Amino acid sequence: MSIRTRFAPSPTGYLHIGGARTALYCWLETKHRGGEFILRIEDTDRERSTDAAVQAILDGMGWLGLSQDEGPYYQTLRMDRYREAAEGLVKAGKAYYAYESKEEIEAMRAAAIAAGEKPRYNGHYRDSSEPLRDDPNRVIRFRNPTEGSVVFEDRIKGRIEWANAELDDLVIFRSDGFPTYNFAVVVDDIDMRITDVIRGDDHVNNTPRQINIYHALGEPVPQFAHLPMILGPDGQKLSKRHGAVSVMQYRDDGFLPHALLNYLVRLGWSHGDQELFSVEQMIELFDVGDANVSAARFDLEKLSWINQQYIKTDDPAEVATHLLWHLTEAGIDPSLGGPDPVDVVIALRERAQTLREMADKAMVWYLPLTTYDEAAVAKHLKAPTALPALHSVRAQIEALTQWKPEAVHEAIKVAAEAIGEGMGKVAQPLRVAITGTQVSPSIDHTVYLAGKDEALARIDRAIALSNG
RNA sequence: GCUCCCUUCGUCUAGUGGCCCAGGACACUGCCCUCUCAAGGCGGCGACACGAGUUCGAAUCUCGUAGGGAGCGCCA
């Protein structure tokens, strides 16, 4: 039987790093084994679920390229099915109605804790022979086995055994007519013919309960793989202050989706010493059973490094499409003037870890030069050789008939030779003239990207500054 | 409190009894390259949580301790 997995977020917020990693691992395991990846929205919590969150999750998955083969399915559209399944269990004697109020349950729990015991339902209605009655507190509870234990082989954590005595009779159908999580997932995973449940390890505790429900329903139990959590840089649970932001924030911050995927796949999984993986390679090499067992911290610096590796080695035309998005965000339209974004990528790809940073640096060519760094002016435009250097290079540049980085490079070299100085004596004043600072890409690209007319105009202004 | 899970450099990890006085990557750092900044090359710093045991031999197996995490909801 071919593999079927699902990613089942609850729409109570955006898709964050932890969810994205879970989705990625499901997706990779499925692609690797040639099966179907299903997206299911677990929206039975009506208080906290929102349409905006559903859209945010869909957007995040789309940006990352984790497309589903089926779905999205919505639990709220399957209410009849849960009711039917729950009532079926009651008829079969595997579940029963109970009528305690929330207050009574709360008191029960408090009493247990006070007595130093594990808080659990006391099973009052478990063997009650009371006839079915209408009651606003009526729920359906699962008749959990009281003896023996549940054993399962987790593909990541290994063998896990749980004594049934530790489990109480959980509510599977609420008084408001909605199923509870532990019941709905089982019914869904059965109906959707899920063969491999890959999810966060905060669910291992739920697994024994769910397995008992599978048994009660007379259905085969799927394989489980519980992924360790992703922690914030400080080792604490991911919070909004670091990491737990929407994956879309990473797009806004200038990361390539593929770079994020690469970072995420290595966070908790590895293949020897390899750090960089194309999506195709991930699919080929990934096996969820090889995932690590312990939690990992999120490290923005390593993500940035990976991002730069792709900015550097991807096809510049491809990178430029992403850069263009950032330029547009910044209010720049390259079709109206300024350098070709592809040329900008070529000049800056070794100097920017993010596209955001690249877009920022590119502003020197897209916007008029308005400010000069004082120290740069003092050091390079007021130098004794500055004026002759600028005049010399201006003449060479003006004479150029071809506007290419190579030609500009040649012009600067000739200009330096003409005044008997090294490249540095010409390049630095020229750099300040073009950018107003002493830091920029190689001087030939820096001048080239400005365009001939603008380059000459900026040199003229520098000459004036140098004189004054 | 109870149950379950986890523990190799600051971080991500390799490692499944001898190849490991522990390898790679990020970060930090020294040198080289150089028109600035980067990128790159060559080095450096830096870890098997602790304690018993099994074994000729343990990062690798067992037990215990400590620390961390998750769960114990009519939330998912």
Side-chain angles (χ1 to χ4, degrees), chain A residues 192-209:
Chain A
M192 294 167 198
R193 307 188 326 279
I194 301 302
T195 61
D196 289 70
V197 173
I198 299 170
R199 74 225 307 191
D201 70 2
D202 46 335
H203 288 292
V204 285
N205 304 281
N206 292 322
T207 307
R209 294 174 181 283

Side-chain angles (χ1 to χ4, degrees), chain A residues 63-231:
Chain A
W63 181 65
L64 288 171
L66 302 178
S67 52
Q68 70 271 21
D69 300 299
E70 275 181 34
Y73 293 112
Y74 294 84
Q75 289 189 322
T76 44
L77 265 27
R78 293 171 41 76
M79 289 301 144
D80 293 345
R81 173 66 184 124
Y82 304 128
R83 175 181 297 277
E84 169 195 284
E87 288 174 351
L89 283 181
V90 174
K91 283 195 186 73
K94 292 174 174 169
Y96 57 90
Y97 293 103
Y99 303 88
E100 285 90 354
S101 67
K102 289 180 185 176
E103 292 70 32
E104 286 173 296
I105 296 294
E106 195 45 54
M108 203 182 291
R109 187 168 296 122
I113 290 171
E117 287 164 10
K118 191 166 179 162
R120 65 205 322 277
Y121 176 62
N122 65 13
H124 177 76
Y125 288 96
R126 185 180 169 103
D127 302 308
S128 154
S129 52
E130 284 185 49
L132 176 62
R133 65 171 200 257
D134 277 334
D135 187 308
N137 288 325
R138 191 179 78 195
V139 299
I140 297 177
R141 282 186 182 269
F142 179 66
R143 188 187 300 274
N144 199 79
T146 52
E147 296 183 347
S149 60
V150 181
V151 178
F152 66 101
E153 191 68 27
D154 190 277
R155 291 190 61 206
I156 293 172
K157 309 247 179 206
R159 184 179 192 273
I160 293 176
E161 178 167 4
W162 215 286
N164 272 319
E166 292 296 328
L167 273 20
D168 65 356
D169 290 349
L170 72 154
V171 170
I172 58 174
F173 207 78
R174 299 192 233 155
S175 55
D176 64 2
F178 277 70
T180 59
Y181 166 76
N182 278 306
F183 187 63
V185 247
V186 174
V187 173
D188 286 340
D189 287 342
I190 288 169
D191 289 354
M192 294 167 198
R193 307 188 326 279
I194 301 302
T195 61
D196 289 70
V197 173
I198 299 170
R199 74 225 307 191
D201 70 2
D202 46 335
H203 288 292
V204 285
N205 304 281
N206 292 322
T207 307
R209 294 174 181 283
Q210 294 174 10
I211 288 175
N212 281 333
I213 296 175
Y214 275 99
H215 291 327
L217 257 12
E219 296 288 342
V221 179
Q223 287 252 281
F224 292 98
H226 287 99
L227 303 170
M229 313 185 47
I230 294 179
L231 272 21

Side-chain angles (χ1 to χ4, degrees), chain A residues 372-383 432 436-438 465-466:
Chain A
Y372 289 84
D373 176 67
E374 272 183 45
V377 171
K379 185 171 178 189
H380 298 294
L381 294 188
K382 299 295 186 184
V432 178
T437 72
Q438 12 187 1
L465 271 173
S466 189

